[in-house]
Amino acid sequence: MLIKIPRGWELPESAATPESLFLNRRELMKGLAAGPILAAGSVPFLTDDVFAADPPDPSAKYYPAKRNETYKVDRAITDEKAAGTWNNFYEFLPQAGEITDRAAKLVVRPWEVAIGGMVEKPQKVAIDTLLAAMPIEERVYRHRCVETWSMTVPWTGFPVKALVDYAKPLGSAKFVVMKTLMDKDMFPTQRSFFAGYPWPYTEGMTIEEATNDLAFLVTGVYGKPAAKQHGAPLRLALPWKYGFKSVKSIVEVTFTDQRPTTFWETLQPREYGFWANVNPAVDHPRWSQAEERPLGGSRKVPTLLYNGYAEQVASLYAGMGNARTLFM
Ligand SMILES: Nc1nc2c(c(=O)[nH]1)N[C@H]1C(S)=C(S)[C@@H](COP(=O)(O)O)O[C@H]1N2
Ligand SMILES: [Mo]
């Protein structure tokens, strides 16, 4: 986010191109990779996908999960390709963009999540063991990036509250901290110039926020295991907060009584704070937050207080005043 802030009108072609054209371009790329076959002109180049080499996903059986209709959004669901080709995942690319091919390097099995800190018993749990213990469902949520693009997506996963119950935190724990995998082989920016960033990507929330109904841990998107660029195999979704709170590819969940200093807060505390609740009336120091551009379109729409979730979450902040810091 420090490098360059893309504006709506600076989006690369891939994010704004109709899906059909985009698919054609991708087919063309595959064709080029399969050079001689294409030249022969007779054999279709559809048999193997040069981008997909992963073994079958052991969690495939959970998808599609039953949609929880409590969470309704009066906006069209974003086209899957649009959501999956405009991503923010600094471990792959230090700006938002298309990272599908880079993200293919992420190995998501085996995958362990370490649960520790102020809990009855610290433990490491394999992602598939965890999934088997969680109430898996689908929820359609809005997502609002601090850089003003947005999307509406069907996430599959389970409430953060279910993980909190599973972890059995001590009564003295006040915050939940989540961290992304640290792996210099899979994540190129963790070893390059950007090695100076405070890796691993770290986010946090209060216990009250974590146990609010809306707080969700995502394992799938669009009725399938999550595409890697979305933060497989486990990412957070706090839909009332700016997107940077929704940490991807989580390997560590820690309970603590100390408020953590998060990744973006470390880098730029006056622009990306701990609370980061969406508020159209509180501008980012460098741009307005009044409007957003849903991915897959060019039309801007108004941004809503708490991203449209005020009814569910405003009470979390009652009595905290109206400090600017709650909304940045
Ligand atoms: N580990 C990690 N998690 C991350 C990020 C990141 O760079 N690294 N970017 C965040 C930001 S700024 C946004 S808007 C969302 C984007 O999620 P999406 O790419 O699935 O749309 O992921 C968030 N989670
Ligand atoms: Mo973002």
Side-chain angles (χ1 to χ4, degrees), residues 59 63 127 131 136 156-158 217-221 224-226 232-235:
S59 70
Y63 304 93
I127 185 74
L131 282 179
I136 307 289
T156 306
F158 50 90
L217 276 157
V218 169
T219 61
V221 198
K224 293 174 289 203
L234 187 68
R235 69 83 65 80

Side-chain angles (χ1 to χ4, degrees), residues 87-91 143 151 180 201 230 235 243 246 248:
N87 298 95
N88 190 306
F89 203 160
Y90 264 57
E91 286 83 342
H143 174 98
M151 60 183 184
T180 299
Y201 198 101
H230 284 301
R235 69 83 65 80
S246 294
K248 295 177 168 180

Side-chain angles (χ1 to χ4, degrees), residues 10-234:
E10 290 177 344
L11 282 182
E13 177 206 17
S14 63
T17 309
E19 185 168 356
S20 55
L21 291 178
F22 182 69
L23 284 175
N24 286 342
R25 202 184 62 168
R26 204 172 161 96
E27 289 309 314
L28 184 66
M29 284 163 65
K30 282 194 211 172
L32 292 176
I37 301 177
L38 181 68
S42 54
V43 186
F45 40 82
L46 300 170
T47 37
D48 41 58
D49 186 340
V50 293
F51 295 99
D54 284 331
D57 189 311
S59 70
K61 60 179 181 237
Y62 296 112
Y63 304 93
K66 191 171 184 318
R67 184 171 293 178
N68 183 337
E69 299 290 350
T70 312
Y71 304 94
K72 293 222 190 311
V73 176
D74 58 357
R75 276 196 195 159
I77 289 183
T78 304
D79 170 71
E80 181 179 353
K81 276 260 153 46
T85 52
W86 183 259
N87 298 95
N88 190 306
F89 203 160
Y90 264 57
E91 286 83 342
F92 289 116
L93 184 72
Q95 63 183 63
E98 179 171 356
I99 54 162
T100 322
D101 294 348
R102 289 167 185 244
K105 290 234 162 55
L106 180 62
V107 178
V108 296
R109 292 295 188 289
W111 190 276
E112 272 194 338
V113 181
I115 301 173
M118 303 174 92
V119 293
E120 277 180 20
K121 190 168 148 281
Q123 58 178 314
K124 278 194 166 180
V125 58
I127 185 74
D128 294 300
T129 309
L130 182 64
L131 282 179
M134 294 292 116
I136 307 289
E137 62 182 39
E138 184 178 83
R139 296 181 180 188
V140 177
Y141 273 0
R142 299 161 184 266
H143 174 98
R144 170 59 155 82
C145 173
V146 73
E147 292 175 300
T148 76
W149 57 267
S150 70
M151 60 183 184
T152 301
V153 293
W155 300 120
T156 306
F158 50 90
V160 179
K161 181 171 190 310
L163 181 71
V164 171
D165 292 344
Y166 182 90
K168 300 199 177 71
L170 306 179
S172 45
K174 292 192 172 68
F175 297 91
V176 187
V177 183
M178 296 186 184
K179 293 188 181 177
T180 299
L181 174 70
M182 185 76 197
D183 186 313
K184 293 186 162 79
D185 294 324
M186 288 186 222
F187 293 141
T189 59
Q190 289 182 343
R191 73 179 111 95
S192 64
F193 167 74
F194 300 98
Y197 277 28
W199 308 118
Y201 198 101
T202 301
E203 262 307 336
M205 69 216 95
T206 63
I207 291 272
E208 291 75 22
E209 291 176 323
T211 53
N212 182 278
D213 260 354
L214 269 184
F216 202 58
L217 276 157
V218 169
T219 61
V221 198
Y222 293 98
K224 293 174 289 203
K228 293 174 178 179
Q229 61 270 29
H230 284 301
L234 187 68

